[in-house]
Amino acid sequence: DTGVSQNPRHKITKRGQNVTFRCDPISEHNRLYWYRQTLGQGPEFLTYFQNEAQLEKSRLLSDRFSAERPKGSFSTLEIQRTEQGDSAMYLCASSLDLLSAYEQYFGPGTRLTVT
Amino acid sequence: RKEVEQDPGPFNVPEGATVAFNCTYSNSASQSFFWYRQDCRKEPKLLMSVYSSGNEDGRFTAQLNRASQYISLLIRDSKLSDSATYLCVVNQGGKLIFGQGTELSVKP
């Protein structure tokens, strides 16, 4: 499968713990995006990278959230001191470049449950 | 006010029916427009792009009215397999802004 992959697929954690998710984009894609989706809502933009540079962060991304893409390939999203409100599906997407940025291909997501 | 607004539904229709989804967006600087489909507990997948001239892909027709900031999707001769959530999406500077989605359930 050469699509976007995400790990883990499911994560259950206790409030206050830190969690880290990984996204592997389609190999030739230089743009990588993170979105969050809660039940009954559409995905909400969190942040995106052009190669290793983080170009934009949503105000939804509090200081407990940090994302990296150190070598311009895979990305990690870390949530520190998780809260119950962080429970959601975290989706990663990738695309080729600005001109085709709309063709974003999504991974299967990581479903986070904070108890 | 949400940037992209859709009727959440659900729309319950019989097989063969024609169903129309509407969407409005608030940012006139939005650059491009799409409909994504999302099956239950799956990731969103691009259904089709939307152009001002209107575009059709088989049983699906999408329309954009930039003046009124309105997007539509028409599904003709609906199939059981069309049951899903349909997400109206606008592109703003590369990031996608999603509506909350409209749930469609096609019944035999």
Side-chain angles (χ1 to χ4, degrees):
Chain A
D1 188 354
T2 56
V4 178
S5 62
Q6 292 186 245
N7 288 289
R9 295 291 305 277
H10 303 274
K11 179 71 177 179
I12 300 173
T13 191
K14 292 186 178 180
R15 189 176 54 186
Q17 298 295 304
N18 299 344
V19 294
T20 300
F21 310 142
R22 176 177 170 131
C23 171
D24 287 88
I26 294 172
S27 59
E28 65 268 27
H29 286 184
N30 53 13
R31 283 209 162 195
L32 186 149
Y33 307 80
W34 285 98
Y35 294 85
R36 180 173 69 186
Q37 185 173 25
T38 54
L39 196 62
Q41 300 298 316
E44 295 175 293
F45 170 78
L46 293 178
T47 188
Y48 83 89
F49 294 84
Q50 172 87 17
N51 299 312
E52 65 274 11
Q54 188 172 17
L55 297 187
E56 187 172 347
K57 292 168 61 173
S58 164
R59 58 180 174 76
L60 295 174
L61 216 64
S62 76
D63 56 5
R64 296 185 297 106
F65 288 71
S66 62
E68 294 183 343
R69 195 182 182 197
K71 297 182 180 178
S73 57
F74 73 91
S75 175
T76 58
L77 177 68
E78 181 183 17
I79 309 174
Q80 296 182 326
R81 305 181 304 281
T82 52
E83 301 173 355
Q84 287 188 321
D86 297 332
S87 295
M89 174 77 86
Y90 290 83
L91 292 160
C92 176
S94 69
S95 69
L96 270 173
D97 59 29
L98 177 61
L99 291 179
S100 62
Y102 56 85
E103 295 187 38
Q104 294 185 22
Y105 297 85
F106 283 81
T110 295
R111 185 171 296 280
L112 173 66
T113 302
V114 182
T115 62
Chain B
R1 182 186 171 190
K2 291 186 177 180
E3 290 193 72
V4 179
E5 295 204 54
Q6 295 180 249
D7 181 341
F11 283 41
N12 296 304
V13 303
E15 269 188 293
T18 296
V19 60
F21 302 139
N22 303 315
C23 167
T24 57
Y25 61 96
S26 60
N27 189 334
S28 59
S30 298
Q31 298 154 311
S32 47
F33 309 87
F34 314 94
W35 285 98
Y36 273 70
R37 171 189 168 134
Q38 187 171 28
D39 293 298
C40 188
R41 305 184 76 83
K42 299 282 190 179
E43 71 273 23
K45 292 187 177 178
L46 179 64
L47 178 66
M48 60 196 301
S49 301
V50 190
Y51 306 110
S52 297
S53 54
N55 50 300
E56 190 172 305
D57 182 2
R59 297 180 294 107
F60 298 83
T61 301
Q63 199 83 39
L64 166 67
N65 185 320
R66 283 189 180 266
S68 54
Q69 296 179 200
Y70 170 86
I71 305 165
S72 65
L73 176 69
L74 186 75
I75 305 176
R76 291 182 300 279
D77 187 24
S78 52
K79 312 290 185 192
L80 296 176
S81 57
D82 294 334
S83 296
T85 295
Y86 291 82
L87 296 157
C88 178
V89 186
V90 305
N91 180 323
Q92 292 178 6
K95 67 186 183 190
L96 299 182
I97 309 298
F98 288 79
Q100 69 180 102
T102 299
E103 185 183 345
L104 173 65
S105 179
V106 182
K107 305 292 188 184

